[in-house]
């Protein structure tokens, strides 16, 4: 069975009603990155940071996977598919994707602020209990914080993602500008000569070996899945 690796960014979830962070009127317009997505912001005001992610969780539980998510999951009928996502939502899992690697963390998880990557102190939140209360502690006695990779923190899953990309027979990139590193560097791990498809409605600087389907996630995946699922 051929292996497909799919790398997805913010544009994958836009059609599900989730704001991107960087676009005009994105979340960074209203919430300064320095306050909600850095270690310094967390140290200065953990309650403000937790309130921001409490709000995002409420938006996420109201969202549903779009056709793009569902078509990515449908590829599993004929291929071994791994999804690598820069998104912190769980819409790929909700659509049925079995193998999902989250590069930037998971919005529905919270963790220890002292030992972020220790699964012993991580927990998954679910409706209706979506909020971290002020002063709420993890199992190790430190404050509970969002399981999100803040700016300046390492990306623990990047080496796992690179290993997956290096085994791909087909590489698909959806809804990412390829400017955010280290994720943007994953394309360099592809084996020479494999098909690489980029689905994005915007003009993106992609290499000569990349076929750009200039459409949104759902329309682009409709076009590509017809070709791949023949």
């Amino acid at each position: 069975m051929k292996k497909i690796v799919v790398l997805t960014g913010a544009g994958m979830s836009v059609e599900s009603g989730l704001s991107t962070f960087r676009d005009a009127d994105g979340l960074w317009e209203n919430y300064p990155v320095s306050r909600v997505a850095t270690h310094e912001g967390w140290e200065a005001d953990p309650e403000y940071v937790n309130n921001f992610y409490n709000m995002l969780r409420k938006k996420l539980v109201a969202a549903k996977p779009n056709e793009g998510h569902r078509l990515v999951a449908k590829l599993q009928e004929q291929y071994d598919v791994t999804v690598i996502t820069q998104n912190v939502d769980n819409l790929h899992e909700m659509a049925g994707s079995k193998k999902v690697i989250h590069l930037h963390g998971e919005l529905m998880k919270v963790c220890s602020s002292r030992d972020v990557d220790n699964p012993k102190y991580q927990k998954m939140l679910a409706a209706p209990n979506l909020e971290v209360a002020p002063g709420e502690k993890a199992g190790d006695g430190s404050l509970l914080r969002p399981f999100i990779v803040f700016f300046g923190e390492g990306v623990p899953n990047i080496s796992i993602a690179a290993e997956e990309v290096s085994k791909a027979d087909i590489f698909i990139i959806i809804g990412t500008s390829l400017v955010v590193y280290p994720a943007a560097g994953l394309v360099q791990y592809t084996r020479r000569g494999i098909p690489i498809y980029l689905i994005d409605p915007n003009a993106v600087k992609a290499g000569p070996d990349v076929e750009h389907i200039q459409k949104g996630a759902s329309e682009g995946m409709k076009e590509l899945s017809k070709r791949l699922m023949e």
Side-chain angles (χ1 to χ4, degrees), residues 16 25 47 52 54 86 108 145 149-150 161 171 178 180-181 220:
S16 295
D25 200 32
E47 190 174 332
F52 173 73
N54 288 345
Q86 296 168 264
M108 299 307 287
R145 62 159 263 189
V149 177
F150 291 151
F171 189 43
L178 293 179
V180 179
Y181 281 83

Side-chain angles (χ1 to χ4, degrees), residues 33-209:
V33 180
S34 59
R35 288 197 68 189
V36 298
T38 64
H39 192 70
E40 294 74 20
W42 166 260
E43 292 283 333
D45 195 345
E47 190 174 332
Y48 181 85
V49 175
N50 271 329
N51 284 341
F52 173 73
Y53 291 96
N54 288 345
M55 177 268 292
L56 290 188
R57 277 185 217 103
K58 288 176 189 168
K59 289 189 174 185
L60 176 53
V61 296
K64 291 187 169 54
N66 60 56
E67 190 166 10
H69 291 108
R70 291 192 291 272
L71 288 170
V72 166
K74 194 170 171 59
L75 292 172
Q76 294 170 144
E77 294 174 6
Q78 293 184 26
Y79 297 90
D80 173 14
V81 181
T82 298
V83 176
I84 301 165
T85 186
Q86 296 168 264
N87 300 334
V88 295
D89 61 58
N90 58 354
L91 296 175
H92 280 296
E93 289 93 335
M94 288 172 67
S97 288
K98 304 291 185 207
K99 290 193 260 180
V100 183
I101 298 168
H102 284 270
L103 293 180
H104 296 158
E106 297 176 61
L107 181 57
M108 299 307 287
K109 273 188 185 175
V110 290
C111 61
S112 154
S113 50
R114 185 184 303 137
D115 196 2
V116 173
D117 295 311
N118 188 337
K120 186 176 173 185
Y121 304 121
Q122 294 168 3
K123 68 175 182 178
M124 190 75 76
L125 301 182
N129 303 310
L130 299 170
E131 298 197 5
V132 175
E136 192 173 346
K137 300 271 182 33
D140 64 353
S142 69
L143 285 176
L144 266 182
R145 62 159 263 189
F147 185 60
I148 300 292
V149 177
F150 291 151
F151 283 94
E153 292 182 333
V155 179
N157 286 338
I158 195 68
S159 55
I160 298 166
E163 176 73 15
E164 288 295 306
V165 172
S166 72
K167 299 176 194 167
D169 298 301
I170 299 167
F171 189 43
I172 303 170
I173 304 159
I174 308 173
T176 177
S177 55
L178 293 179
V179 297
V180 179
Y181 281 83
L186 287 172
V187 71
Q188 295 164 13
Y189 289 87
T190 54
R191 286 179 293 135
R192 182 177 291 180
I194 72 161
I196 302 174
Y197 303 98
L198 169 67
I199 297 172
D200 197 285
N202 303 311
V204 178
K205 283 184 182 174
D209 301 327

Side-chain angles (χ1 to χ4, degrees), residues 26-37:
L27 287 168
W28 295 152
E29 292 276 313
N30 304 311
Y31 298 90
V33 180
S34 59
R35 288 197 68 189
V36 298

